[in-house]
Amino acid sequence: MTDLAKELAAVVGPAHVLTDPAVAMSYLVDWTGRWRGTCRLVVRPGSTEQVTAVIAACAAAGAPIVPQGGNTGLVGGGVPVDLPEAVLLSLRRLTDLGPVDRNGTVVAGAGSTLASIQQHAHAAGWDLGLDFASRDSATVGGAVATNAGGVRVLRYGDARRQVLGVEAVLASGALVSHVDGPMKESAGYDLGSLLAGSEGTLGVLTRVRVRLVPQLPARAVALLAVDGVAEAQAVLDSVQSEVDGLTAAELFLRDGLSLVLAATGAAPPFSRGWPAYLLLECGGRVDPLEALASVLADQAEVRDAAVASDATGRAALWRYREAHTESISAAGVPVKLDVGLPAAGLADAEYAIRAAVDEVAPGARVIIFGHLAEANLHVNVLDAPSDRVDAVSDAVLRTVAERGGSVSAEHGIGRAKPRWLGLTRSAADIAAMRRIKSALDPDGLLNPGVLFDR
Ligand code: MLT
Ligand code: ZN
């Protein structure tokens, strides 16, 4: 063991310092297989005090730190790529959940999975406003650090909007902690907002105080077949103006559904295939199925429909959408891009994105799905030759930027996209961000290569 490994073992216990690359492997490769790293060791502290001591020891040794939650990120932000001297700091052991208070807030350890917070909230009659398919592994610390979105953004907003306060260790070893106190506060800078979306470059989250939302006892899901993205948007516009309690509006297309059917063995939802599918979910105190169905009955764009309000039926419909990520990965290692676009022109943007990929990587498959209400498309490119990966990203992100879109709607910039940050953020924005970074982490210890080029 090196001196640093010994020092860290004294802090967290030898069982929680992994120096054997074979043992550390699950921390060093993201689950899509695109991002692979190396590091000098993985350390797994079990308390805020231990995180503070780990960061102080790493700082004294000049070792870069790569924080990691559930390793479900999609932009390489938690993988120490080209950082053999780094320490990978896993927060997964910080799983303490405090009591749900009467205002519906809870303080969760950064390593708590979204599913564990959801269950904890349900037991108290509340729910978490944040949800996505990797809920069993994704941690709240990682979700906040990347300002993750998911399938409930339309109703409750993204991860940042759920944060009432954070506890975090800064590169200096200072602990900032504001997870107690009143719900409402206007006293100074909101460090929670600053750290949300900072992708581990400004501080390491150890606890997060999240607001919960009332649990909705009744839910209805509708899966609709339509002729394309524009038709899906038209249906969504009507539903949004006529139905109460919409919680999700998710889009997928014919080629994505084919991959899902092949990977999961599920039966097709309809007797024939359609160009596009819109999955809607409504939640309320009374079963929203009837209200939803009666609005849908008037929608000329709806070519076929399946609805369910029982738990099994809802889960079966959701599976067609939620299995996209794993089914795409089962077909190869995708170039994953996550773009936000103005809602007007979304259908045109879809065609333009496909054409842009075809130009730089002819024959590559483009699988698009996403969160329709936010006009957030997940663009997954399969079968692009490895020497065309950057060209594919460049072509897609420039196409999006030309249309006033963002290079990242909910996955973050990570190690995948620093060179394209300037397509979305102005030079003045980036200069301000860099000044914040150097004020809080002057030696560039925290997650180098993420957000900004090294
Ligand atoms: C999703 O919406 O399913 C996630 O963002 C994951 C993905 O884009 O693959
Ligand atoms: Zn998503």
Side-chain angles (χ1 to χ4, degrees):
M1 272 197 174
T2 63
D3 287 351
L4 181 60
K6 282 185 199 144
E7 207 179 325
L8 296 181
V11 173
V12 301
H16 296 297
V17 175
L18 313 179
T19 50
D20 178 345
V23 178
M25 191 51 78
S26 67
Y27 296 88
L28 300 178
V29 183
D30 83 319
W31 67 273
T32 69
R34 173 150 314 276
W35 301 100
R36 290 166 186 275
T38 49
C39 65
R40 63 165 92 181
L41 58 87
V42 174
V43 61
R44 303 187 301 190
S47 67
T48 297
E49 293 69 31
Q50 290 186 3
V51 174
T52 306
V54 165
I55 290 180
C58 292
I65 298 162
V66 176
Q68 188 186 88
N71 197 13
T72 58
L74 295 167
V75 289
V79 180
V81 180
D82 295 332
L83 284 170
E85 73 286 16
V87 166
L88 190 141
L89 172 53
S90 169
L91 284 312
R92 264 185 242 175
R93 290 181 62 221
L94 304 187
T95 55
D96 277 357
L97 290 172
V100 175
D101 73 13
R102 64 188 299 176
N103 293 318
T105 82
V106 66
V107 179
S112 310
T113 62
L114 296 191
S116 73
I117 302 175
Q118 288 167 355
Q119 282 156 20
H120 186 62
H122 293 169
W126 294 87
D127 202 356
L128 181 65
L130 198 60
D131 191 33
F132 41 83
S134 55
R135 60 184 73 80
D136 291 319
S137 308
T139 63
V140 70
V144 171
T146 53
N147 191 28
V151 297
R152 296 183 180 169
V153 172
L154 135 72
R155 179 117 172 209
Y156 303 115
D158 53 20
R160 178 180 284 125
R161 269 82 194 172
Q162 319 308 315
V163 176
L164 289 171
V166 296
E167 178 185 87
V169 184
L170 305 182
S172 64
L175 180 71
V176 291
S177 185
H178 201 56
V179 290
D180 307 309
M183 282 199 65
K184 201 170 173 197
E185 162 126 41
S186 175
Y189 296 148
D190 181 358
L191 297 180
S193 284
L194 181 62
L195 291 176
S198 67
E199 302 188 51
T201 62
L202 299 180
V204 175
L205 293 169
T206 49
R207 291 198 294 162
V208 183
R209 184 182 185 197
V210 287
R211 79 179 172 105
L212 301 175
V213 297
Q215 198 176 3
L216 302 175
R219 289 179 187 275
V221 175
L223 180 64
L224 312 173
V226 290
D227 285 332
V229 172
E231 288 77 6
Q233 284 185 297
V235 174
L236 176 59
D237 287 348
S238 302
V239 171
Q240 276 190 304
S241 60
E242 293 174 50
V243 179
D244 291 333
L246 193 62
T247 53
E250 298 291 307
L251 173 79
F252 53 92
L253 306 179
R254 187 198 296 268
D255 43 9
L257 178 63
S258 297
L259 292 181
V260 169
L261 299 181
T264 63
F270 303 116
S271 55
R272 53 153 289 189
W274 295 94
Y277 301 87
L278 173 62
L279 184 142
L280 300 173
E281 183 181 81
C282 292
R285 299 207 178 273
V286 293
D287 190 346
L289 187 60
E290 212 177 296
L292 180 60
S294 85
V295 171
L296 292 176
D298 294 336
Q299 305 304 311
E301 293 87 354
V302 174
R303 301 308 205 112
D304 209 340
V307 294
S309 58
D310 64 296
T312 311
R314 292 193 325 251
L317 295 179
W318 264 111
R319 185 95 181 105
Y320 294 117
R321 161 61 180 88
E322 289 205 323
H324 266 67
T325 303
E326 71 203 52
S327 304
I328 290 167
S329 282
V333 178
V335 182
K336 273 194 159 307
L337 298 161
D338 157 51
V339 299
L341 283 146
L346 189 66
D348 283 351
E350 186 224 328
Y351 293 118
I353 288 168
R354 290 182 190 283
V357 174
D358 199 48
E359 204 162 299
V360 296
R365 284 183 284 167
V366 183
I367 313 297
I368 293 180
F369 64 100
H371 312 287
L372 190 63
E374 297 88 58
N376 173 189
L377 298 183
H378 296 316
V379 180
N380 291 258
V381 182
L382 284 167
D383 308 331
S386 54
D387 63 350
R388 304 307 289 156
V389 166
D390 273 2
V392 164
S393 299
D394 193 65
V396 172
L397 299 178
R398 285 186 190 284
T399 301
V400 166
E402 277 159 19
R403 287 165 165 72
S406 167
V407 300
S408 176
E410 63 170 14
H411 294 170
I413 296 295
R415 291 187 165 79
K417 293 186 270 189
R419 63 181 264 213
W420 293 286
L421 182 61
L423 290 179
T424 294
R425 304 301 297 263
S426 70
D429 280 6
I430 295 173
M433 287 191 226
R434 282 188 181 277
R435 282 200 296 274
I436 294 168
K437 168 74 175 167
S438 33
L440 291 183
D441 181 18
D443 298 324
L445 224 53
L446 293 178
N447 229 359
V450 165
L451 206 48
F452 311 110
D453 271 326
R454 282 165 85 187

